[in-house]
Amino acid sequence: EVTGEPLPQDTLKAAHDADAILLGAVGGPKWDELDYEHRPERALLGLRSELDLFANFRPAILSKYLTSSSSLKANKVENLDLLIIRELTGGIYFGEPRGRTEGKKEAFNTMIYNQDEIERIGRVAFEAAQKRDNALCSVDKANVLEVSVLWREVITELSKDYPDVKLSHMLVDNAAMQLVREPKQFDVIVTGNLFGDILSDIAAMMTGSIGMLPSASLNSENKGMYEPVHGSAPDIAGKGVANPLATILSAAMMFEDTFNLKEEADLIRRAVDSSLEKSIVTEDLADGNKAFKTSEIGDWLAK
Ligand code: IPM
Ligand code: MG
């Protein structure tokens, strides 16, 4: 259980020794009263940073059985398959200085990226685009932020190494709009930590339910931590109604990305797909039909 207590040494050691970690969601009202330093999110961010998991993959794929569950019109999202690559160990999440000014009500964070950090996430994104449709959109706020001006320069320079990939740039406010206006214009999106956090929640909703989106956070050797994009949904905790598919699909990513077991990964994905086809789904996707319990879905998939 990832709580706000500092991670015990043996846990940290196990994390370092592991090839992959599969994590549920963190946080909840039980810990809301804790001061900032002790919130469970600190432990999650600590793991990401400690293990150098800088490359966060958040695919948003709409199953053909869920087209009508999306909050967007079917023709806008049919066959949607986009990949958000979010820089995960830098930017405003970790920038120094950060804190509160003593004595007055003032607080500050720093959005900072250096060339190396941008380049390494950029390479991951260009390479991912090469395995897909060779189109990469880099999202920033270069009309306002110096850090984004540098981001854009470095990504543009890098694109010379990947002449087969069509690179475009988009401001983040426009990207948020374009995602709900015409999501299929995107193939791979690469962006910084905070923008990626926000845009991936938008993309999640297009796939029918936020309970559908897996993620992989990888270091430079493809060791990784795998977690659903959604939060811990404290309002439904313990009721057996949470959609387990994002976590299960995260396990599929783990088989493929860290263990190189593509066939096993596809088996999991196919099982998930046939559960959707047969409407063996939790209430978020049931659309008025029979809703199954979390554990029933798990049992069905395992079988
Ligand atoms: C996510 C989450 C986390 C983040 C929280 C829980 C710290 O929203 O993984 O998207 O902001 O990165
Ligand atoms: Mg988030």
Side-chain angles (χ1 to χ4, degrees):
E1 189 183 32
V2 179
T3 69
E5 295 306 311
L7 288 172
Q9 279 311 313
D10 55 338
T11 307
L12 266 184
K13 183 171 180 315
H16 271 290
D17 291 347
D19 289 325
I21 300 171
L22 181 63
L23 195 75
V26 304
K30 195 167 142 197
W31 300 286
D32 273 354
E33 298 306 310
L34 292 174
D35 56 346
Y36 173 80
E37 269 314 308
H38 292 99
R39 293 186 58 92
E41 287 84 350
R42 305 307 310 159
L44 174 63
L45 296 172
L47 272 174
R48 287 176 181 171
S49 153
E50 175 88 15
L51 302 175
D52 206 19
L53 307 171
F54 68 95
N56 182 216
F57 288 73
R58 299 192 159 184
I61 298 170
L62 178 64
S63 159
K64 61 174 179 284
Y65 307 112
L66 292 182
T67 307
S68 64
S69 307
S70 171
S71 50
L72 295 188
K73 292 195 189 82
N75 67 335
K76 295 286 177 189
V77 289
E78 234 162 10
N79 302 318
L80 179 80
D81 179 352
L82 73 89
L83 173 62
I84 297 184
I85 297 183
R86 167 186 176 195
E87 199 292 326
L88 201 63
T89 51
I92 197 167
Y93 270 55
F94 295 94
E96 300 282 349
R98 62 188 299 158
R100 300 180 64 129
T101 311
E102 246 176 82
K104 60 176 167 177
K105 286 226 178 275
E106 188 178 71
F108 50 92
N109 292 88
T110 303
M111 193 185 267
I112 181 165
Y113 273 116
N114 62 41
Q115 179 175 1
D116 293 348
E117 288 171 315
I118 303 169
E119 247 183 63
R120 69 174 182 173
I121 192 69
R123 289 204 183 278
V124 166
F126 277 107
E127 280 162 27
Q130 283 178 327
K131 290 190 199 131
R132 297 169 48 104
D133 291 342
N134 285 294
L136 177 64
C137 179
S138 171
V139 171
D140 61 40
K141 188 71 185 170
N143 55 344
V144 177
L145 305 173
E146 285 86 345
V147 63
S148 283
V149 175
L150 177 69
W151 178 282
R152 203 174 269 221
E153 278 168 21
V154 173
I155 296 285
T156 305
E157 185 60 31
L158 201 58
S159 70
K160 293 180 187 154
D161 289 353
Y162 304 89
D164 51 331
V165 176
K166 196 176 164 307
L167 172 68
S168 59
H169 300 276
M170 200 178 276
L171 298 172
V172 63
D173 48 351
N174 186 27
M177 179 183 78
Q178 296 297 338
L179 268 174
V180 289
R181 194 184 74 89
E182 209 63 71
K184 282 193 274 183
Q185 70 184 281
F186 297 106
D187 180 30
V188 181
I189 291 178
V190 63
T191 189
N193 208 338
L194 180 62
F195 300 155
D197 178 43
I198 298 165
L199 295 182
S200 58
D201 265 31
I202 301 181
M205 206 47 230
M206 286 165 198
T207 63
S209 162
I210 185 127
M212 290 298 298
L213 234 74
S215 80
S217 306
L218 304 178
N219 72 6
S220 51
E221 290 150 15
N222 282 346
K223 290 189 174 195
M225 182 155 79
Y226 295 82
E227 28 166 348
V229 168
H230 61 70
S232 58
D235 51 325
I236 55 171
K239 297 188 182 152
V241 299
N243 184 342
L245 295 183
T247 305
I248 290 168
L249 290 168
S250 299
M253 288 185 90
M254 176 171 79
F255 279 102
E256 179 160 2
D257 296 346
T258 294
F259 301 144
N260 275 319
L261 295 172
K262 171 106 173 80
E263 213 180 301
E264 286 76 357
D266 284 342
L267 277 173
I268 297 174
R269 294 189 185 113
R270 258 192 295 169
V272 167
D273 223 39
S274 60
S275 75
L276 297 174
E277 181 183 10
K278 299 188 169 66
S279 282
I280 316 280
V281 292
T282 37
E283 88 189 2
D284 52 316
L285 294 173
D287 204 12
N289 299 319
K290 175 176 161 52
F292 289 79
K293 294 274 174 204
T294 309
S295 59
E296 290 175 324
I297 311 262
D299 291 344
W300 193 90
L301 291 172
K303 216 160 110 199

